[in-house]
Amino acid sequence: MNRIGILHHPKVAASQPLAAQIEQWLAAHQIATWQASSHDEQRLAELVPTADLLVVLGGDGSLLRAARYSSVCRVPIFGINLGRVGFLCEAQPDEWPEKLTKVLAGDSWVENRLMLAARIQRNDRILHTFSVLNDVVVGRGRQARVVRFQLHVDSDHVTDYTADALIVATPTGSTAYSMAAGGPLLPPQLPNFVVVPVAPHLTFDRAIIFHEQAEIAITVQMDHQAYLTPDGTDGILLENEDVVYITKSENDCQFARVESRGYFYRRLMGRLGYSR
């Protein structure tokens, strides 16, 4: 590796001192570096394509932000957890020298994770497009009122929902909001995604798993506010009869891993408090 980007979190006090420490450590290994805030979208768009690896300091949210840029140019991410959960991170703050040494030595492997592409269509016009690693959530706004959804897959009508929201999640996102809403846990190797209703009322209440080539279409029907929220970022206001199309993205997100290939289950149980 010739150049490594280091992304620090602007709102985490420990992030920038740790970034400086890692930069010094990499310089001692004759590796060029650059630093940027994980919230600085302009610099990320410019700098990420120049890196061979991204070291991301923060929680899962920081890695989701980085994934939007790294997936396009296939730059692997090495996450150091400074957040609360850290499902996606490969190292804790006291582990990074040992694990990053293995990455630099080639004693690691690259994990590919499926991403989703979403677009909002209104009256035959595309308004917004998104790429997400976790999930797309289509749901109600400030008012505690349900939204009606029509679900089509590959142009065929599947079912209608009356619910607070619908979550369309990747295997990565299956451990996030989808899990909290009762959805299944999908290992990251699966090429599937899942639709999970949130608080469905007198309607179909099961999660449905779809194959990677499926095209999901969600038509929103309401007389109040509803939003589309990609990967937990700021929501986009929807109007009645807007259609949200979701497919597999052309790009995968890559993670540099040094743990065994079965790490997911061990880490999951540990984060949930069930490890021995």
Side-chain angles (χ1 to χ4, degrees), residues 71-104:
S71 60
V72 176
C73 44
R74 301 186 65 79
V75 177
I77 294 173
F78 179 86
I80 300 176
N81 185 31
L82 298 179
R84 291 184 296 273
V85 181
F87 271 118
L88 298 175
C89 295
E90 188 65 6
Q92 298 300 318
D94 60 343
E95 299 174 326
W96 71 262
E98 175 188 356
K99 291 189 173 183
L100 194 51
T101 296
K102 290 183 178 181
V103 174
L104 298 183

PDB file of all heavy atoms in Angstrom, residues 71-104:
ATOM      1  N   SER A  71     -16.955   2.673  -2.085  1.00  0.00           N
ATOM      2  CA  SER A  71     -17.518   1.610  -2.923  1.00  0.00           C
ATOM      3  C   SER A  71     -17.376   1.924  -4.403  1.00  0.00           C
ATOM      4  O   SER A  71     -17.206   1.021  -5.221  1.00  0.00           O
ATOM      5  CB  SER A  71     -18.988   1.391  -2.565  1.00  0.00           C
ATOM      6  OG  SER A  71     -19.734   2.581  -2.775  1.00  0.00           O
ATOM      7  N   VAL A  72     -17.428   3.196  -4.754  1.00  0.00           N
ATOM      8  CA  VAL A  72     -17.355   3.595  -6.163  1.00  0.00           C
ATOM      9  C   VAL A  72     -15.988   3.257  -6.751  1.00  0.00           C
ATOM     10  O   VAL A  72     -15.881   2.833  -7.905  1.00  0.00           O
ATOM     11  CB  VAL A  72     -17.651   5.093  -6.313  1.00  0.00           C
ATOM     12  CG1 VAL A  72     -17.493   5.533  -7.760  1.00  0.00           C
ATOM     13  CG2 VAL A  72     -19.052   5.409  -5.818  1.00  0.00           C
ATOM     14  N   CYS A  73     -14.925   3.435  -5.948  1.00  0.00           N
ATOM     15  CA  CYS A  73     -13.560   3.199  -6.447  1.00  0.00           C
ATOM     16  C   CYS A  73     -12.926   1.961  -5.816  1.00  0.00           C
ATOM     17  O   CYS A  73     -11.717   1.750  -5.960  1.00  0.00           O
ATOM     18  CB  CYS A  73     -12.690   4.432  -6.230  1.00  0.00           C
ATOM     19  SG  CYS A  73     -12.855   5.214  -4.623  1.00  0.00           S
ATOM     20  N   ARG A  74     -13.731   1.166  -5.107  1.00  0.00           N
ATOM     21  CA  ARG A  74     -13.293  -0.125  -4.555  1.00  0.00           C
ATOM     22  C   ARG A  74     -12.067   0.011  -3.659  1.00  0.00           C
ATOM     23  O   ARG A  74     -11.089  -0.726  -3.781  1.00  0.00           O
ATOM     24  CB  ARG A  74     -13.038  -1.136  -5.674  1.00  0.00           C
ATOM     25  CG  ARG A  74     -14.265  -1.406  -6.533  1.00  0.00           C
ATOM     26  CD  ARG A  74     -14.056  -2.498  -7.546  1.00  0.00           C
ATOM     27  NE  ARG A  74     -13.831  -3.796  -6.912  1.00  0.00           N
ATOM     28  CZ  ARG A  74     -14.785  -4.572  -6.408  1.00  0.00           C
ATOM     29  NH1 ARG A  74     -16.048  -4.173  -6.436  1.00  0.00           N
ATOM     30  NH2 ARG A  74     -14.498  -5.740  -5.875  1.00  0.00           N
ATOM     31  N   VAL A  75     -12.142   0.963  -2.744  1.00  0.00           N
ATOM     32  CA  VAL A  75     -11.100   1.147  -1.739  1.00  0.00           C
ATOM     33  C   VAL A  75     -11.562   0.471  -0.452  1.00  0.00           C
ATOM     34  O   VAL A  75     -12.616   0.819   0.084  1.00  0.00           O
ATOM     35  CB  VAL A  75     -10.825   2.643  -1.478  1.00  0.00           C
ATOM     36  CG1 VAL A  75      -9.792   2.816  -0.373  1.00  0.00           C
ATOM     37  CG2 VAL A  75     -10.358   3.323  -2.752  1.00  0.00           C
ATOM     38  N   PRO A  76     -10.815  -0.503   0.077  1.00  0.00           N
ATOM     39  CA  PRO A  76     -11.244  -1.183   1.307  1.00  0.00           C
ATOM     40  C   PRO A  76     -11.211  -0.251   2.516  1.00  0.00           C
ATOM     41  O   PRO A  76     -10.427   0.708   2.575  1.00  0.00           O
ATOM     42  CB  PRO A  76     -10.218  -2.312   1.468  1.00  0.00           C
ATOM     43  CG  PRO A  76      -9.581  -2.461   0.139  1.00  0.00           C
ATOM     44  CD  PRO A  76      -9.593  -1.099  -0.492  1.00  0.00           C
ATOM     45  N   ILE A  77     -12.083  -0.563   3.484  1.00  0.00           N
ATOM     46  CA  ILE A  77     -12.198   0.194   4.727  1.00  0.00           C
ATOM     47  C   ILE A  77     -11.679  -0.643   5.882  1.00  0.00           C
ATOM     48  O   ILE A  77     -12.004  -1.832   6.002  1.00  0.00           O
ATOM     49  CB  ILE A  77     -13.662   0.586   4.993  1.00  0.00           C
ATOM     50  CG1 ILE A  77     -14.166   1.568   3.923  1.00  0.00           C
ATOM     51  CG2 ILE A  77     -13.836   1.189   6.380  1.00  0.00           C
ATOM     52  CD1 ILE A  77     -15.664   1.854   4.027  1.00  0.00           C
ATOM     53  N   PHE A  78     -10.879  -0.016   6.743  1.00  0.00           N
ATOM     54  CA  PHE A  78     -10.455  -0.628   7.999  1.00  0.00           C
ATOM     55  C   PHE A  78     -10.995   0.264   9.117  1.00  0.00           C
ATOM     56  O   PHE A  78     -10.552   1.399   9.280  1.00  0.00           O
ATOM     57  CB  PHE A  78      -8.926  -0.717   8.070  1.00  0.00           C
ATOM     58  CG  PHE A  78      -8.389  -1.316   9.350  1.00  0.00           C
ATOM     59  CD1 PHE A  78      -8.263  -2.690   9.487  1.00  0.00           C
ATOM     60  CD2 PHE A  78      -8.013  -0.508  10.420  1.00  0.00           C
ATOM     61  CE1 PHE A  78      -7.761  -3.252  10.657  1.00  0.00           C
ATOM     62  CE2 PHE A  78      -7.508  -1.055  11.586  1.00  0.00           C
ATOM     63  CZ  PHE A  78      -7.388  -2.436  11.714  1.00  0.00           C
ATOM     64  N   GLY A  79     -11.993  -0.230   9.860  1.00  0.00           N
ATOM     65  CA  GLY A  79     -12.663   0.583  10.864  1.00  0.00           C
ATOM     66  C   GLY A  79     -12.108   0.376  12.263  1.00  0.00           C
ATOM     67  O   GLY A  79     -11.859  -0.759  12.681  1.00  0.00           O
ATOM     68  N   ILE A  80     -11.900   1.490  12.973  1.00  0.00           N
ATOM     69  CA  ILE A  80     -11.495   1.454  14.386  1.00  0.00           C
ATOM     70  C   ILE A  80     -12.636   2.034  15.193  1.00  0.00           C
ATOM     71  O   ILE A  80     -13.034   3.191  14.997  1.00  0.00           O
ATOM     72  CB  ILE A  80     -10.191   2.245  14.610  1.00  0.00           C
ATOM     73  CG1 ILE A  80      -9.060   1.641  13.772  1.00  0.00           C
ATOM     74  CG2 ILE A  80      -9.815   2.239  16.093  1.00  0.00           C
ATOM     75  CD1 ILE A  80      -7.747   2.409  13.855  1.00  0.00           C
ATOM     76  N   ASN A  81     -13.167   1.263  16.107  1.00  0.00           N
ATOM     77  CA  ASN A  81     -14.415   1.614  16.784  1.00  0.00           C
ATOM     78  C   ASN A  81     -14.222   2.661  17.876  1.00  0.00           C
ATOM     79  O   ASN A  81     -13.567   2.410  18.883  1.00  0.00           O
ATOM     80  CB  ASN A  81     -15.044   0.352  17.396  1.00  0.00           C
ATOM     81  CG  ASN A  81     -16.394   0.641  18.015  1.00  0.00           C
ATOM     82  OD1 ASN A  81     -17.116   1.520  17.564  1.00  0.00           O
ATOM     83  ND2 ASN A  81     -16.734  -0.101  19.054  1.00  0.00           N
ATOM     84  N   LEU A  82     -14.828   3.827  17.662  1.00  0.00           N
ATOM     85  CA  LEU A  82     -14.925   4.850  18.700  1.00  0.00           C
ATOM     86  C   LEU A  82     -16.388   5.145  19.015  1.00  0.00           C
ATOM     87  O   LEU A  82     -16.705   6.150  19.647  1.00  0.00           O
ATOM     88  CB  LEU A  82     -14.224   6.138  18.254  1.00  0.00           C
ATOM     89  CG  LEU A  82     -12.714   6.032  17.981  1.00  0.00           C
ATOM     90  CD1 LEU A  82     -12.169   7.382  17.515  1.00  0.00           C
ATOM     91  CD2 LEU A  82     -11.969   5.550  19.211  1.00  0.00           C
ATOM     92  N   GLY A  83     -17.279   4.271  18.557  1.00  0.00           N
ATOM     93  CA  GLY A  83     -18.708   4.468  18.772  1.00  0.00           C
ATOM     94  C   GLY A  83     -19.252   3.540  19.829  1.00  0.00           C
ATOM     95  O   GLY A  83     -18.515   2.983  20.654  1.00  0.00           O
ATOM     96  N   ARG A  84     -20.562   3.298  19.779  1.00  0.00           N
ATOM     97  CA  ARG A  84     -21.224   2.511  20.814  1.00  0.00           C
ATOM     98  C   ARG A  84     -21.294   1.026  20.462  1.00  0.00           C
ATOM     99  O   ARG A  84     -21.172   0.181  21.335  1.00  0.00           O
ATOM    100  CB  ARG A  84     -22.639   3.055  21.052  1.00  0.00           C
ATOM    101  CG  ARG A  84     -22.667   4.424  21.719  1.00  0.00           C
ATOM    102  CD  ARG A  84     -24.091   4.857  22.020  1.00  0.00           C
ATOM    103  NE  ARG A  84     -24.878   5.032  20.814  1.00  0.00           N
ATOM    104  CZ  ARG A  84     -24.920   6.160  20.116  1.00  0.00           C
ATOM    105  NH1 ARG A  84     -24.196   7.202  20.486  1.00  0.00           N
ATOM    106  NH2 ARG A  84     -25.668   6.258  19.018  1.00  0.00           N
ATOM    107  N   VAL A  85     -21.496   0.712  19.202  1.00  0.00           N
ATOM    108  CA  VAL A  85     -21.716  -0.687  18.824  1.00  0.00           C
ATOM    109  C   VAL A  85     -20.550  -1.225  18.006  1.00  0.00           C
ATOM    110  O   VAL A  85     -19.866  -2.147  18.417  1.00  0.00           O
ATOM    111  CB  VAL A  85     -23.048  -0.844  18.050  1.00  0.00           C
ATOM    112  CG1 VAL A  85     -23.267  -2.309  17.676  1.00  0.00           C
ATOM    113  CG2 VAL A  85     -24.211  -0.343  18.903  1.00  0.00           C
ATOM    114  N   GLY A  86     -20.325  -0.671  16.835  1.00  0.00           N
ATOM    115  CA  GLY A  86     -19.170  -1.060  16.042  1.00  0.00           C
ATOM    116  C   GLY A  86     -19.268  -2.434  15.400  1.00  0.00           C
ATOM    117  O   GLY A  86     -18.280  -3.161  15.338  1.00  0.00           O
ATOM    118  N   PHE A  87     -20.449  -2.805  14.887  1.00  0.00           N
ATOM    119  CA  PHE A  87     -20.581  -4.075  14.176  1.00  0.00           C
ATOM    120  C   PHE A  87     -19.615  -4.160  13.002  1.00  0.00           C
ATOM    121  O   PHE A  87     -19.080  -5.223  12.693  1.00  0.00           O
ATOM    122  CB  PHE A  87     -22.009  -4.227  13.637  1.00  0.00           C
ATOM    123  CG  PHE A  87     -22.968  -4.882  14.602  1.00  0.00           C
ATOM    124  CD1 PHE A  87     -24.076  -4.201  15.074  1.00  0.00           C
ATOM    125  CD2 PHE A  87     -22.774  -6.186  15.018  1.00  0.00           C
ATOM    126  CE1 PHE A  87     -24.964  -4.795  15.943  1.00  0.00           C
ATOM    127  CE2 PHE A  87     -23.662  -6.802  15.897  1.00  0.00           C
ATOM    128  CZ  PHE A  87     -24.758  -6.100  16.363  1.00  0.00           C
ATOM    129  N   LEU A  88     -19.406  -3.045  12.319  1.00  0.00           N
ATOM    130  CA  LEU A  88     -18.627  -3.054  11.082  1.00  0.00           C
ATOM    131  C   LEU A  88     -17.138  -2.858  11.307  1.00  0.00           C
ATOM    132  O   LEU A  88     -16.339  -3.139  10.412  1.00  0.00           O
ATOM    133  CB  LEU A  88     -19.142  -1.955  10.139  1.00  0.00           C
ATOM    134  CG  LEU A  88     -20.583  -2.094   9.671  1.00  0.00           C
ATOM    135  CD1 LEU A  88     -20.993  -0.872   8.852  1.00  0.00           C
ATOM    136  CD2 LEU A  88     -20.755  -3.355   8.838  1.00  0.00           C
ATOM    137  N   CYS A  89     -16.757  -2.354  12.473  1.00  0.00           N
ATOM    138  CA  CYS A  89     -15.355  -2.026  12.725  1.00  0.00           C
ATOM    139  C   CYS A  89     -14.526  -3.290  12.948  1.00  0.00           C
ATOM    140  O   CYS A  89     -15.003  -4.270  13.516  1.00  0.00           O
ATOM    141  CB  CYS A  89     -15.235  -1.102  13.928  1.00  0.00           C
ATOM    142  SG  CYS A  89     -15.986   0.522  13.672  1.00  0.00           S
ATOM    143  N   GLU A  90     -13.267  -3.225  12.531  1.00  0.00           N
ATOM    144  CA  GLU A  90     -12.384  -4.378  12.648  1.00  0.00           C
ATOM    145  C   GLU A  90     -11.535  -4.346  13.902  1.00  0.00           C
ATOM    146  O   GLU A  90     -11.031  -5.379  14.342  1.00  0.00           O
ATOM    147  CB  GLU A  90     -11.478  -4.463  11.410  1.00  0.00           C
ATOM    148  CG  GLU A  90     -10.646  -5.712  11.309  1.00  0.00           C
ATOM    149  CD  GLU A  90     -11.493  -6.978  11.131  1.00  0.00           C
ATOM    150  OE1 GLU A  90     -12.734  -6.869  10.972  1.00  0.00           O
ATOM    151  OE2 GLU A  90     -10.915  -8.078  11.146  1.00  0.00           O
ATOM    152  N   ALA A  91     -11.355  -3.170  14.516  1.00  0.00           N
ATOM    153  CA  ALA A  91     -10.462  -3.075  15.674  1.00  0.00           C
ATOM    154  C   ALA A  91     -11.027  -2.125  16.720  1.00  0.00           C
ATOM    155  O   ALA A  91     -11.720  -1.164  16.392  1.00  0.00           O
ATOM    156  CB  ALA A  91      -9.075  -2.593  15.236  1.00  0.00           C
ATOM    157  N   GLN A  92     -10.704  -2.408  17.973  1.00  0.00           N
ATOM    158  CA  GLN A  92     -10.933  -1.482  19.074  1.00  0.00           C
ATOM    159  C   GLN A  92      -9.706  -0.563  19.187  1.00  0.00           C
ATOM    160  O   GLN A  92      -8.645  -0.863  18.628  1.00  0.00           O
ATOM    161  CB  GLN A  92     -11.174  -2.248  20.370  1.00  0.00           C
ATOM    162  CG  GLN A  92     -12.395  -3.145  20.349  1.00  0.00           C
ATOM    163  CD  GLN A  92     -13.689  -2.394  20.088  1.00  0.00           C
ATOM    164  OE1 GLN A  92     -13.918  -1.303  20.627  1.00  0.00           O
ATOM    165  NE2 GLN A  92     -14.550  -2.957  19.245  1.00  0.00           N
ATOM    166  N   PRO A  93      -9.822   0.563  19.904  1.00  0.00           N
ATOM    167  CA  PRO A  93      -8.704   1.516  19.937  1.00  0.00           C
ATOM    168  C   PRO A  93      -7.384   0.932  20.427  1.00  0.00           C
ATOM    169  O   PRO A  93      -6.320   1.422  20.034  1.00  0.00           O
ATOM    170  CB  PRO A  93      -9.219   2.611  20.884  1.00  0.00           C
ATOM    171  CG  PRO A  93     -10.702   2.560  20.739  1.00  0.00           C
ATOM    172  CD  PRO A  93     -11.027   1.112  20.547  1.00  0.00           C
ATOM    173  N   ASP A  94      -7.414  -0.095  21.281  1.00  0.00           N
ATOM    174  CA  ASP A  94      -6.163  -0.674  21.773  1.00  0.00           C
ATOM    175  C   ASP A  94      -5.636  -1.810  20.887  1.00  0.00           C
ATOM    176  O   ASP A  94      -4.588  -2.388  21.175  1.00  0.00           O
ATOM    177  CB  ASP A  94      -6.356  -1.189  23.205  1.00  0.00           C
ATOM    178  CG  ASP A  94      -7.429  -2.271  23.301  1.00  0.00           C
ATOM    179  OD1 ASP A  94      -8.235  -2.392  22.351  1.00  0.00           O
ATOM    180  OD2 ASP A  94      -7.465  -2.991  24.310  1.00  0.00           O
ATOM    181  N   GLU A  95      -6.348  -2.116  19.790  1.00  0.00           N
ATOM    182  CA  GLU A  95      -5.958  -3.240  18.944  1.00  0.00           C
ATOM    183  C   GLU A  95      -5.385  -2.821  17.598  1.00  0.00           C
ATOM    184  O   GLU A  95      -4.827  -3.656  16.885  1.00  0.00           O
ATOM    185  CB  GLU A  95      -7.180  -4.131  18.653  1.00  0.00           C
ATOM    186  CG  GLU A  95      -7.831  -4.762  19.856  1.00  0.00           C
ATOM    187  CD  GLU A  95      -9.102  -5.495  19.479  1.00  0.00           C
ATOM    188  OE1 GLU A  95      -9.811  -5.042  18.554  1.00  0.00           O
ATOM    189  OE2 GLU A  95      -9.392  -6.521  20.113  1.00  0.00           O
ATOM    190  N   TRP A  96      -5.540  -1.562  17.232  1.00  0.00           N
ATOM    191  CA  TRP A  96      -5.259  -1.188  15.853  1.00  0.00           C
ATOM    192  C   TRP A  96      -3.812  -1.434  15.409  1.00  0.00           C
ATOM    193  O   TRP A  96      -3.610  -1.843  14.255  1.00  0.00           O
ATOM    194  CB  TRP A  96      -5.682   0.260  15.577  1.00  0.00           C
ATOM    195  CG  TRP A  96      -4.836   1.318  16.229  1.00  0.00           C
ATOM    196  CD1 TRP A  96      -5.097   1.975  17.383  1.00  0.00           C
ATOM    197  CD2 TRP A  96      -3.599   1.847  15.731  1.00  0.00           C
ATOM    198  NE1 TRP A  96      -4.107   2.876  17.661  1.00  0.00           N
ATOM    199  CE2 TRP A  96      -3.175   2.823  16.660  1.00  0.00           C
ATOM    200  CE3 TRP A  96      -2.808   1.596  14.617  1.00  0.00           C
ATOM    201  CZ2 TRP A  96      -1.986   3.540  16.494  1.00  0.00           C
ATOM    202  CZ3 TRP A  96      -1.624   2.306  14.447  1.00  0.00           C
ATOM    203  CH2 TRP A  96      -1.226   3.273  15.375  1.00  0.00           C
ATOM    204  N   PRO A  97      -2.759  -1.207  16.260  1.00  0.00           N
ATOM    205  CA  PRO A  97      -1.405  -1.432  15.724  1.00  0.00           C
ATOM    206  C   PRO A  97      -1.185  -2.880  15.275  1.00  0.00           C
ATOM    207  O   PRO A  97      -0.629  -3.134  14.201  1.00  0.00           O
ATOM    208  CB  PRO A  97      -0.498  -1.061  16.902  1.00  0.00           C
ATOM    209  CG  PRO A  97      -1.310  -0.150  17.752  1.00  0.00           C
ATOM    210  CD  PRO A  97      -2.703  -0.679  17.645  1.00  0.00           C
ATOM    211  N   GLU A  98      -1.635  -3.825  16.100  1.00  0.00           N
ATOM    212  CA  GLU A  98      -1.456  -5.240  15.762  1.00  0.00           C
ATOM    213  C   GLU A  98      -2.228  -5.609  14.498  1.00  0.00           C
ATOM    214  O   GLU A  98      -1.691  -6.265  13.586  1.00  0.00           O
ATOM    215  CB  GLU A  98      -1.921  -6.114  16.925  1.00  0.00           C
ATOM    216  CG  GLU A  98      -1.885  -7.603  16.640  1.00  0.00           C
ATOM    217  CD  GLU A  98      -2.538  -8.420  17.743  1.00  0.00           C
ATOM    218  OE1 GLU A  98      -2.958  -7.833  18.760  1.00  0.00           O
ATOM    219  OE2 GLU A  98      -2.625  -9.650  17.570  1.00  0.00           O
ATOM    220  N   LYS A  99      -3.477  -5.170  14.417  1.00  0.00           N
ATOM    221  CA  LYS A  99      -4.305  -5.564  13.283  1.00  0.00           C
ATOM    222  C   LYS A  99      -3.922  -4.816  12.010  1.00  0.00           C
ATOM    223  O   LYS A  99      -3.939  -5.392  10.911  1.00  0.00           O
ATOM    224  CB  LYS A  99      -5.783  -5.354  13.623  1.00  0.00           C
ATOM    225  CG  LYS A  99      -6.288  -6.329  14.683  1.00  0.00           C
ATOM    226  CD  LYS A  99      -7.789  -6.271  14.863  1.00  0.00           C
ATOM    227  CE  LYS A  99      -8.271  -7.373  15.803  1.00  0.00           C
ATOM    228  NZ  LYS A  99      -9.734  -7.394  15.960  1.00  0.00           N
ATOM    229  N   LEU A 100      -3.567  -3.552  12.133  1.00  0.00           N
ATOM    230  CA  LEU A 100      -3.170  -2.807  10.949  1.00  0.00           C
ATOM    231  C   LEU A 100      -1.835  -3.318  10.411  1.00  0.00           C
ATOM    232  O   LEU A 100      -1.605  -3.317   9.190  1.00  0.00           O
ATOM    233  CB  LEU A 100      -3.092  -1.311  11.260  1.00  0.00           C
ATOM    234  CG  LEU A 100      -3.009  -0.358  10.068  1.00  0.00           C
ATOM    235  CD1 LEU A 100      -4.105  -0.633   9.047  1.00  0.00           C
ATOM    236  CD2 LEU A 100      -3.085   1.092  10.541  1.00  0.00           C
ATOM    237  N   THR A 101      -0.965  -3.783  11.293  1.00  0.00           N
ATOM    238  CA  THR A 101       0.291  -4.403  10.854  1.00  0.00           C
ATOM    239  C   THR A 101       0.004  -5.609   9.964  1.00  0.00           C
ATOM    240  O   THR A 101       0.669  -5.823   8.943  1.00  0.00           O
ATOM    241  CB  THR A 101       1.133  -4.834  12.070  1.00  0.00           C
ATOM    242  OG1 THR A 101       1.510  -3.677  12.808  1.00  0.00           O
ATOM    243  CG2 THR A 101       2.382  -5.582  11.641  1.00  0.00           C
ATOM    244  N   LYS A 102      -0.994  -6.403  10.331  1.00  0.00           N
ATOM    245  CA  LYS A 102      -1.354  -7.572   9.519  1.00  0.00           C
ATOM    246  C   LYS A 102      -1.890  -7.150   8.153  1.00  0.00           C
ATOM    247  O   LYS A 102      -1.584  -7.785   7.132  1.00  0.00           O
ATOM    248  CB  LYS A 102      -2.393  -8.416  10.254  1.00  0.00           C
ATOM    249  CG  LYS A 102      -1.851  -9.128  11.486  1.00  0.00           C
ATOM    250  CD  LYS A 102      -2.924 -10.009  12.112  1.00  0.00           C
ATOM    251  CE  LYS A 102      -2.371 -10.769  13.312  1.00  0.00           C
ATOM    252  NZ  LYS A 102      -3.397 -11.649  13.920  1.00  0.00           N
ATOM    253  N   VAL A 103      -2.673  -6.079   8.125  1.00  0.00           N
ATOM    254  CA  VAL A 103      -3.197  -5.601   6.844  1.00  0.00           C
ATOM    255  C   VAL A 103      -2.054  -5.165   5.937  1.00  0.00           C
ATOM    256  O   VAL A 103      -2.011  -5.511   4.749  1.00  0.00           O
ATOM    257  CB  VAL A 103      -4.196  -4.444   7.066  1.00  0.00           C
ATOM    258  CG1 VAL A 103      -4.622  -3.843   5.723  1.00  0.00           C
ATOM    259  CG2 VAL A 103      -5.421  -4.931   7.835  1.00  0.00           C
ATOM    260  N   LEU A 104      -1.108  -4.402   6.494  1.00  0.00           N
ATOM    261  CA  LEU A 104       0.022  -3.918   5.701  1.00  0.00           C
ATOM    262  C   LEU A 104       0.889  -5.078   5.198  1.00  0.00           C
ATOM    263  O   LEU A 104       1.479  -5.001   4.117  1.00  0.00           O
ATOM    264  CB  LEU A 104       0.877  -2.953   6.522  1.00  0.00           C
ATOM    265  CG  LEU A 104       0.190  -1.671   7.008  1.00  0.00           C
ATOM    266  CD1 LEU A 104       1.180  -0.788   7.733  1.00  0.00           C
ATOM    267  CD2 LEU A 104      -0.451  -0.922   5.850  1.00  0.00           C
TER     268      LEU A 104
END
